[in-house]
Structure formats: structure tokens, C-alpha cells
Amino acid sequence: MARMSLGEGKWRMPRRAAPEAGLPVRRLRNPTRHDQEHFDWLVEHGFFAVAGDGAFGVTAFDWPRAEVVGRTAAAVARRVLTAWLVPNVRRAREVIPAWAAAQWTQIGLDPDAALAKLQEAAETATGTRTEDLITLTTEPLVPRGWLARLPEPDRVAVAIDGLVKLFGPPAGPAHRQPTAAEAAVADAAAKLGEESSHHLRRIAAALVEDQQFRMAGAEEATRQFLATTDRLADKYNAEATVAEQKATAAYECLVQYTHYTKGMRKPAAAELADALRLFPRARYQAVLYRALARIYLSVHDPLALQLTNILGCKDRLAEIAGPVGPPAADFIPGPRRLMPPGCLGVDDAVARFEGVLTDADLAAIDARVQAALEPDLGGVFQACFHSAVGPAGVVAAVREETRAYLDARLGEVDMGAMFAERYRSRQQAETAVAHAYAEADPEWVGGGPWAGTEVTVLGAPDGVAGAPVRELATRAIPVAGLPIAESRDDVTIYREYPAVPLSAVPHLGPAGSTAYQNLPESNQCSLHSRLDVTAWADVDAV
């Protein structure tokens, strides 16, 4: 038996027919193009039968479904990719800011929440509430009343020393040993910055997977995060500097008073009271604000890296998707090409198909792409950044899923309406079918006894939409008990003479024999690829 190439797609026909023949479909799950084993198994179990030599002819009324779906899919896939890649102004102004604010709070980067954590760390290190400790240290020294006396300088010096041991001196040496409270605040800031960076890395991936954001939304959200972190880092660095200046001025006033000697200027009671209250609080604020600024600076680099990756992937996707090429030449149907009512060519059909698609269809296609990529690649983000297929595989998935969705979305077409559009009267339609039947005659084998065994089959759509076409064709084709097979997108007339001797074929008859015998002598060449073939054999005797 000669090897037969069905092709992977053609195995679908045996798979669909196997249950009718009582054969297990599992034997046909994964055949390859030249699958001799499965083919021999089908022959052995009577799935195929030898039909002998024959001649056939086919004519059809069809419509360019593949062309319409393909061109519509190309345009719609570009719309899906465009929605992924091009910023949406409304989303950037209305959706992302609210989302970013919620995420900011959830991560713990809200300034008030972050400050509360830093204060908690400081109070854990000191063992008490900072405000209570400052009040307990400074209030007994604050001059009170109209003729209040200033506290003894030695008592002020002891208080200042205790406060410096808690929060450090203002404008102290750059490499001094931090106090317990300073170290606790610094550790808490580093921990919060690390945790926030980790969350932000995961958020970038989640945004790309989210149909509301994808690449453009992830880029905009990341840019807003970056802008917020930079703004807050600058703000709290500036506030720390202001607080440090206030603490320094108050500290100098207090230190000068502790070194008071006769002849030096004494601060006024109100001035000393302000300095006692301001110095520890301003110094504490400077420590907290500086640490808070470091938190925002620590998440800047991870965010910037995420933004770089997203921009690179966007550029790669746009490059692979390619620019919009020139429109394809319109396809104007021939005598037997049918088109939907009101459509003169493929351009009209594509425009009409695109016109009925909604945002819900684009969302459904987007969801199909996500579902196709997740099982093996983990989603769009992982496919783009951490897989062998890369952005090219993502673009291919978008195009493939768009075409599959649109083909299903188009569904069954109304061939009866197409016939009515093409042929304005029943008589014209019947005449066209009769002519098609005549043209399907395999007349190249001529008349002969084999004509008495002719087999004619009509392929037409099933269901209510195909009923008018089947009825019309049955009247126009002069075959009693005409077999009708289901054909979704065309009306096909198939005529076959099952048993035609090869000698009846013009190419193998007397004329062909004479040409075969004379041509080698006139051209001094062989008609065969095998030079050992030197004699003509009777084709019917083979």
C-alpha cells in the first residue's frame, strides 16, 4: 500500500466519522502527517474501502468566509494590541489614580501609616511613648509665670544630654554611632522599603495580566507610582531639613545657656521655654522624616526597573505587530461566489462584521488570549519577560485567538439569503444550480457504460437557514433521492463515475500512447525519471 499523507487537519474527518463506524476515537487523538500506523489500523478495521478507478467533477456556490474572517481578525487583533499598548486618557485620569491610592495604602506606603510604623519602632526602642518622655524631661524646666525664674544651667545640661542620647545631636558627625531610637527607626524604614519593593514588583506583573490595564495601564500606573515616590521623597527630605534647622537653633540656644557665665546674654524665659519644647520634638521629626524619605527612595529603583521592562516589552510588541500595511485589494465575487445581502465585495463584508463587534467582543478575545497563555506560560507578563516565546509568541496568540473567536462569532451564515441576494428570482436560482450540475459532469472521460453508475451528492448547509437552498437544489438537479451532505459555507455539487478504465482517460488513450512513442525519438530524451523504463505497458493490465 502506498503511503498516504492526510495532513494533520484532515485527520479531523476520520475522528468525526469513527464513532459512526463504531471505532474508538482515542486511536486518532494525535496522528502525525504521515502516520502509517494509524492509517493501517483504519484500513484493517474496514474504515476505508477500495473504490477503484473513477472520474469526478465538482462545482460549488460558496462565499469567502476565510477571507472575511481573516481580514476582520487582522484588524481586530490590531485593535486588541492597540488597547494594550496605547495609553487610555480616561483610564489614566479616572481609574488609575484611585487604584494607585488604594494600592499605596494597602502596601503601607501612605505617609501617615509609614510614620506610625516608624514611631512605633522608636517607642519600642525607648520603652515608652516619645511624647510622654519629652514632656517628662522638659516640662519641669520650663519657666512659668510672669516673673518666672530660669532653671539652673546644670539641670538643663542634664536634660539636653538625655535627649541627645535618645535622638542624637542635630548636625552631628556623619559617622557617629546612632542611638537606639535612631537605629530602630532606620531598621524599620529599611524593612518597610524592602517589603514595599517586593509588593510593587508583583503589582507590575498583576497589572499586565489585568485586562483593564495591560502594558499601557501598567506603564501609566508605574509612572504615577514613581512620580508619587519622588514627590514624597523630596517633600520629606525638605521637611527633615527644616526640622533639623529648627532643632539646631533650639539646641544652640540651650547649649549656650548651659555654658552661661557672668556677662553673657541670658535668653528670655519665653525663649528658653520654646527652645526646651522645640529641640527634642524637631530633632525627633527630623529623624522620622529622613527615614521616611529613605523608604520612598528605596522603592524608586525597583519601580524604575519595572518601567524599563514594560517599555521594552511595549516597543517589542509594537515592532512585531508591525505598521498598518496598505489595504488588501477588494475581492469581487465571481459568477458563483455568494456574499451577504448588501455586500458587493469582501471589503463590505469585513466592514459590516467589524461594525457589529462591541467592547464586549474585544474583552472576550482578551480573555481568550489570557486563558491560552496561562496554562503553559503563566500569562502575558511571564510570556513576554520570562519565556522562550517572548513578545512574538504573545502577538501570535492574539492573532490566533482573535481569528478563532471571530470564526465562532460569525456562526452559521444564511446561505438562503445569499442565494436570494445573488439570484433575484427562484427561476434564476434554479437555472444557476442546473448549469452548475451540468458543469460538474466529468465529461473529459466521455460517455461510456460507466455513466450508468454515476454518483451525485449535494453538499448544503443544514438547519432552517439551509432549507430553502436544499429545496431549490433538489428541484434543479435531476437525480431521484439526491443524497445531501452537510456543508456549512457552500453549496457543492459532486458527480462521480466510480468505475472508469484508465484507457478511457485521454492522457492514457491512443493519443497519449502515440505521443509517448514519438516524443522520445524527436527530442532524444526520456519521459521518465527512471531511464530503465523503455516499453509502454497496458494501463488496464497493471
Side-chain angles (χ1 to χ4, degrees):
M1 178 183 296
R3 174 166 291 187
M4 178 179 181
S5 172
L6 288 178
E8 289 82 348
K10 301 299 188 294
W11 281 102
R12 297 174 185 169
M13 294 185 291
R15 276 198 294 267
R16 294 183 65 180
E20 300 295 332
L23 301 178
V25 181
R26 65 178 181 274
R27 294 299 301 267
L28 304 175
R29 290 277 185 211
N30 298 300
T32 58
R33 182 171 291 276
H34 292 286
D35 198 330
Q36 189 66 43
E37 177 185 353
H38 285 87
F39 183 76
D40 290 344
W41 181 84
L42 290 172
V43 173
E44 179 184 349
H45 288 77
F47 191 81
F48 295 122
V50 178
D53 302 324
F56 68 90
V58 179
T59 56
F61 299 85
D62 59 1
W63 80 287
R65 181 189 185 100
E67 180 75 8
V68 172
V69 171
R71 285 172 56 175
T72 307
V76 173
R78 181 171 293 280
R79 287 170 60 185
V80 172
L81 288 170
T82 299
W84 287 13
L85 303 177
V86 176
N88 183 306
V89 176
R90 176 181 173 277
R91 179 176 58 196
R93 290 178 178 175
E94 300 178 9
V95 178
I96 293 180
W99 177 90
Q103 291 296 321
W104 203 255
T105 302
Q106 182 179 346
I107 295 172
L109 287 177
D110 178 75
D112 292 337
L115 275 174
K117 290 184 178 181
L118 298 180
Q119 288 172 343
E120 181 182 357
E123 291 173 356
T124 301
T126 59
T128 185
R129 288 185 67 248
T130 303
E131 182 61 29
D132 293 345
L133 185 60
I134 293 175
T135 300
L136 184 64
T137 304
T138 60
E139 286 304 312
L141 303 176
V142 174
R144 288 178 172 82
W146 182 50
L147 296 174
R149 295 180 57 186
L150 297 178
E152 295 296 329
D154 292 343
R155 293 179 60 197
V156 175
V158 171
I160 293 174
D161 184 60
L163 293 172
V164 168
K165 289 180 179 178
L166 283 176
F167 309 121
H175 300 290
R176 67 178 175 82
Q177 186 72 21
T179 66
E182 287 178 304
V185 170
D187 291 342
K191 181 180 179 182
L192 183 56
E194 183 179 351
E195 292 175 351
S196 301
S197 298
H198 178 67
H199 283 295
L200 290 172
R201 291 189 189 96
R202 292 192 301 174
I203 283 177
L207 286 174
V208 174
E209 303 300 336
D210 192 327
Q211 294 183 42
Q212 287 188 325
F213 290 87
R214 292 302 189 196
M215 300 296 179
E219 176 193 353
E220 181 61 30
T222 305
R223 287 189 185 280
Q224 290 193 18
F225 270 138
L226 272 172
T228 302
T229 56
D230 292 345
R231 176 177 57 80
L232 291 176
D234 292 342
K235 172 185 176 181
Y236 286 105
N237 265 327
E239 291 192 6
T241 300
V242 172
E244 195 74 28
Q245 291 172 349
K246 291 180 179 179
T248 300
Y251 178 76
E252 291 177 351
C253 176
L254 294 174
V255 170
Q256 183 178 6
Y257 177 69
T258 60
H259 292 85
Y260 173 78
T261 58
K262 190 175 181 180
M264 293 178 60
R265 173 185 174 275
K266 277 188 178 182
E271 183 181 357
L272 185 64
D274 290 342
L276 283 170
R277 289 168 173 159
L278 180 61
F279 160 63
R281 290 178 175 85
R283 176 58 190 157
Y284 182 44
Q285 284 184 342
V287 171
L288 294 178
Y289 289 161
R290 197 77 72 188
L292 188 57
R294 285 198 298 271
I295 292 175
Y296 295 123
L297 289 174
S298 69
V299 300
H300 178 276
D301 289 346
L303 281 172
L305 179 59
Q306 292 294 322
L307 180 60
T308 300
N309 290 337
I310 292 170
L311 291 176
C313 187
K314 274 186 59 181
D315 293 342
R316 183 65 178 142
L317 283 173
E319 178 184 353
I320 294 170
V324 178
D330 193 13
F331 178 86
I332 305 300
R336 294 199 187 95
R337 298 304 295 269
L338 306 176
M339 295 298 296
C343 297
L344 297 179
V346 171
D347 281 355
D348 291 340
V350 169
R352 176 173 296 185
F353 195 8
E354 279 194 77
V356 301
L357 299 177
T358 65
D359 290 342
D361 292 300
L362 298 183
I365 293 171
D366 198 316
R368 284 179 64 106
V369 175
Q370 188 72 27
L373 293 175
E374 276 187 351
D376 296 329
L377 301 175
V380 176
F381 183 86
Q382 295 296 332
C384 284
F385 296 106
H386 305 297
S387 73
V389 301
V394 174
V395 172
V398 171
R399 290 170 175 166
E400 180 180 348
E401 294 303 324
T402 301
R403 187 181 184 98
Y405 175 83
L406 292 180
D407 188 60
R409 174 77 162 75
L410 183 59
E412 302 295 333
V413 297
D414 190 347
M415 293 294 289
M418 291 188 184
F419 253 90
E421 177 75 8
R422 181 66 177 169
Y423 305 103
R424 294 297 182 175
S425 69
R426 180 182 296 273
Q427 182 179 2
Q428 289 181 353
E430 290 185 4
T431 300
V433 172
H435 287 166
Y437 171 77
E439 290 184 20
D441 179 26
E443 59 184 13
W444 52 281
V445 297
W450 51 83
T453 61
E454 177 183 351
V455 174
T456 301
V457 178
L458 172 69
D462 199 4
V464 177
V469 178
R470 296 195 302 273
E471 179 185 353
L472 181 148
T474 302
R475 287 198 306 268
I477 298 175
V479 176
L482 177 66
I484 301 178
E486 181 182 355
S487 181
R488 183 176 68 165
D489 293 313
D490 56 53
V491 177
T492 301
I493 301 172
Y494 177 86
R495 301 179 64 182
E496 179 184 348
Y497 299 146
V500 179
L502 291 178
S503 58
V505 180
H507 305 81
L508 302 178
S513 176
T514 301
Y516 174 82
Q517 293 171 357
N518 294 336
L519 191 60
E521 296 178 1
S522 61
N523 292 340
Q524 298 297 313
C525 65
S526 173
L527 299 179
H528 294 268
S529 60
R530 289 178 54 184
L531 299 180
D532 58 329
V533 178
T534 59
W536 179 273
D538 185 355
V539 293
D540 290 324
V542 175

